[in-house]
Amino acid sequence: MYFFREGTSGQTALAPKVQPPNIVVILTDDQGYADVGFHGSKDIRTPNIDRIANNGVVCTEGYVSYAVCGPSRAGLLTGRYQDRFGFGRNPLMAPNDPAMGLPLTEETIADLLKKANYSTAVMGKWHLGAHPTLHPNRRGFDEFYGFLSGGHQYFPENLTLKDLSEVKAQFDAYRTKLLHNTKRVEEKEYLTDALSREAIRFIRKKKDSPFFLYLAYNAPHAPLQATEKYLSRYPEIKDPRRRTYAAMVSAVDDGVGGILNTLEELKIDRNTIVFFLSDNGGPTPDNASSNAPLRGKKSDFFEGGIRVPFAVQWPGKIPAGTRYNNPVISLDIFATAAALANVQPKNELDGVNLMPFLTGQNKGFPHDYLYWRNFDQQKWAVRSRNEKMITQPNTDFLFQIKADIGEKNNLAEKDSKTLNGLKSKAIQWNRKLLDPAFLGLSQDKEYSQSHPDRYQVVEDF
Ligand code: CA
């Protein structure tokens, strides 16, 4: 692309305009660490997700900022530890509560990139508030196709509620018809396929402008639902739940393939950075996922809750087929986007620009420490370069995490000096944090009692 600008001599010259890269973030939901080909999955095949790894880098120690959906997404989309702004719980479905979701003090990655003239879209799960003031179209996204709740039914025939006014209980929202911006639509496809289709449509439409696409699949989050097209790929998996989960991951994988093919066909793949990650670890009993060899599961601060499949491609910029073994976190995506788009964030960030690290230019560590807090359980975790500490009432854990990926050997009693050092880091960090600003999923009943009109829809578009 060319435009006219003043040369140093004062003459108008034809000069190439350096366009910042397109940015694509593909987020899966509750996918286990083990359940991608690039981590050696034995039963689930993800050839397209693996293409991202082969085209770029696997971050083997890729973390998210929380062990369940909502707070993890709030961190991802703001580049900040979500407890800094009171997002310490999974929000409830409460369309008339403007405080139930991402506070307006926060700048989203889409708000940020709008300042650099990006076209922006979110396809899939929002989960950052259902009040009109918190709608994706008000949070920097030009386009939204998906749902506001924390999960959804996958088969179109199950989408029987015409809008949120028909929601009478928290999980009813899973049955609402999908939204295209603020309008309800009649979707005909299996949800994962629909989200892939919309993502590809957006890329085609915006191929000439820098764009930001946040493709937030709810798969493979429960309910376990897959079509025969995907189930038929796994006749050998005997456990019907694991088979359905595998099929759901396979549907995502097809979508990822469609997106990569589209970028290549349009010849914009070399000007597009693609991130792939899961929002938290697999909830192994709920969706038959696997976090092997990690200990624990979704909602834990063991690695199985917070370490996720994480890969990044940018052909020509990030060396292909590499592995990056220092800890990185989902919060880094925002900071990387800000650097690539050359735009100043509104708020102080906790992430860092990953590009110098992923290209090998900077051999250091992106972070000296990473932090987690579960306010309701009064639990903290701190990751240093080689160690990890978890502290909760009456129990401490300390692991040499680099050497003990499965967190088998608790050194808390043996090495109290290291333990206390990491605890003091948590105490310092905690001073920057706010108490949760809203009641969460585990306080559903209490919230309904104090907010009897919680499902009342506010019409203000
Ligand atoms: Ca999740």
Side-chain angles (χ1 to χ4, degrees):
M1 186 181 292
Y2 291 85
F3 74 124
F4 287 94
R5 73 175 179 205
E6 292 292 316
T8 45
S9 64
Q11 291 173 322
T12 304
L14 192 63
K17 180 187 175 188
V18 179
Q19 184 172 293
N22 307 308
I23 301 171
V24 176
V25 176
I26 303 172
L27 188 71
T28 56
D29 197 345
D30 289 10
Q31 184 172 9
Y33 186 79
D35 296 328
V36 283
F38 68 76
H39 281 172
S41 177
K42 300 239 184 325
D43 56 348
I44 298 180
R45 295 176 293 277
T46 58
N48 292 297
I49 296 169
D50 297 348
R51 275 164 73 186
I52 298 175
N54 294 331
N55 291 339
V57 60
V58 173
C59 296
T60 56
E61 302 195 1
Y63 290 96
V64 286
S65 62
Y66 201 70
V68 303
C69 314
S72 171
R73 285 151 200 269
L76 170 73
L77 287 196
T78 60
R80 287 150 59 77
Y81 284 115
Q82 61 281 347
D83 280 302
R84 278 181 181 268
F85 46 86
F87 207 120
R89 294 175 175 138
N90 242 340
L92 289 162
M93 176 48 66
N96 83 342
D97 186 347
M100 184 61 79
L102 187 68
L104 299 179
T105 52
E106 298 310 303
E107 179 180 58
T108 71
I109 186 171
D111 292 324
L112 172 91
L113 292 169
K114 286 309 291 178
K115 296 193 292 196
N117 297 315
Y118 275 63
S119 297
T120 56
V122 49
M123 308 303 181
K125 167 165 157 177
W126 178 240
H127 207 198
L128 297 176
H131 188 271
T133 56
L134 304 174
H135 186 281
N137 289 152
R138 296 265 182 93
R139 307 309 302 267
F141 290 96
D142 300 328
E143 194 169 345
F144 167 50
Y145 192 94
F147 50 92
L148 300 170
S149 49
H152 222 69
Q153 292 280 323
Y154 292 87
F155 297 131
E157 59 271 28
N158 291 348
L159 307 183
T160 51
L161 304 189
K162 77 173 168 30
D163 60 39
L164 291 174
S165 67
E166 298 185 2
V167 169
K168 304 288 176 238
Q170 174 69 19
F171 291 98
D172 286 359
Y174 278 36
R175 295 185 178 276
T176 50
K177 293 188 188 302
L178 300 185
L179 280 166
H180 184 201
N181 297 323
T182 57
K183 298 276 179 294
R184 296 285 164 183
V185 295
E186 294 294 333
E187 180 54 62
K188 299 278 189 276
E189 286 196 87
Y190 177 60
L191 180 52
T192 302
D193 295 342
L195 299 179
S196 303
R197 178 197 72 217
E198 292 300 312
I200 291 166
R201 183 185 53 74
F202 174 76
I203 292 170
R204 288 191 183 283
K205 192 169 71 174
K206 298 298 177 184
K207 65 182 165 57
D208 296 323
S209 63
F211 62 79
F212 169 63
L213 168 65
Y214 170 46
L215 175 53
Y217 288 112
N218 57 313
H221 189 294
L224 289 174
Q225 296 172 342
T227 53
E228 196 51 39
K229 175 181 173 186
Y230 301 113
L231 286 165
S232 66
R233 294 177 183 176
Y234 290 101
E236 71 282 8
I237 300 182
K238 297 299 171 223
D239 172 4
R241 299 177 72 251
R242 178 73 179 170
R243 184 179 175 217
T244 308
Y245 171 85
M248 293 167 80
V249 172
S250 209
V252 168
D253 191 71
D254 275 25
V256 171
I259 285 151
L260 297 180
N261 291 345
T262 304
L263 295 175
E264 288 166 18
E265 178 203 320
L266 298 172
K267 301 194 178 356
I268 55 174
D269 56 309
R270 293 175 73 84
N271 194 35
T272 303
I273 184 168
V274 180
F275 294 88
F276 175 89
L277 72 165
S278 177
D279 71 333
N280 50 253
T284 47
D286 295 342
N287 70 352
S289 52
S290 169
N291 300 311
L294 308 181
R295 177 174 178 177
K297 57 186 190 302
K298 176 180 179 178
S299 87
D300 287 350
F301 285 168
F302 291 121
E303 297 288 270
I306 54 176
R307 194 197 285 205
V308 295
F310 195 129
V312 193
Q313 75 163 49
W314 187 1
K317 293 288 196 303
I318 295 173
T322 51
R323 292 173 83 78
Y324 187 75
N325 300 320
N326 289 337
V328 302
I329 190 163
S330 53
L331 309 180
D332 297 330
I333 293 172
F334 188 113
T336 305
L340 294 176
N342 193 24
V343 59
Q344 190 63 35
K346 173 187 161 196
N347 294 318
E348 186 190 343
L349 301 183
D350 291 309
V352 301
N353 174 14
L354 287 178
M355 284 307 294
F357 299 96
L358 300 183
T359 56
Q361 182 195 335
N362 186 333
K363 305 283 184 207
F365 281 73
H367 302 274
D368 290 326
Y369 300 96
L370 296 174
Y371 301 91
W372 295 265
R373 182 180 80 170
N374 181 326
F375 179 87
D376 288 332
Q377 295 177 14
Q378 289 295 291
K379 189 193 292 186
W380 286 261
V382 179
R383 167 72 207 259
S384 64
R385 293 179 177 188
N386 296 310
E387 286 114 6
K388 183 175 160 204
M389 180 279 299
I390 305 171
T391 185
Q392 61 196 69
N394 308 314
T395 317
D396 293 322
F397 295 95
L398 176 69
F399 302 106
Q400 281 293 334
I401 196 70
K402 272 281 180 197
D404 180 16
I405 187 176
E407 296 173 298
K408 292 191 166 86
N409 190 12
N410 184 5
L411 303 168
E413 284 187 24
K414 255 188 227 164
D415 187 359
S416 57
K417 183 163 173 267
T418 304
L419 177 76
N420 290 331
L422 293 173
K423 275 191 178 179
S424 73
K425 296 301 293 184
I427 291 165
Q428 280 173 36
W429 175 68
N430 194 59
R431 293 193 187 112
K432 297 179 182 170
L433 308 182
L434 304 183
D435 289 358
F438 49 79
L439 293 176
L441 202 51
S442 52
Q443 296 107 359
D444 184 50
K445 216 169 156 184
E446 184 185 341
Y447 183 79
S448 287
Q449 280 164 1
S450 58
H451 297 75
D453 57 351
R454 65 181 272 193
Y455 296 113
Q456 190 187 311
V457 171
V458 181
E459 296 287 354
D460 101 333
F461 272 101

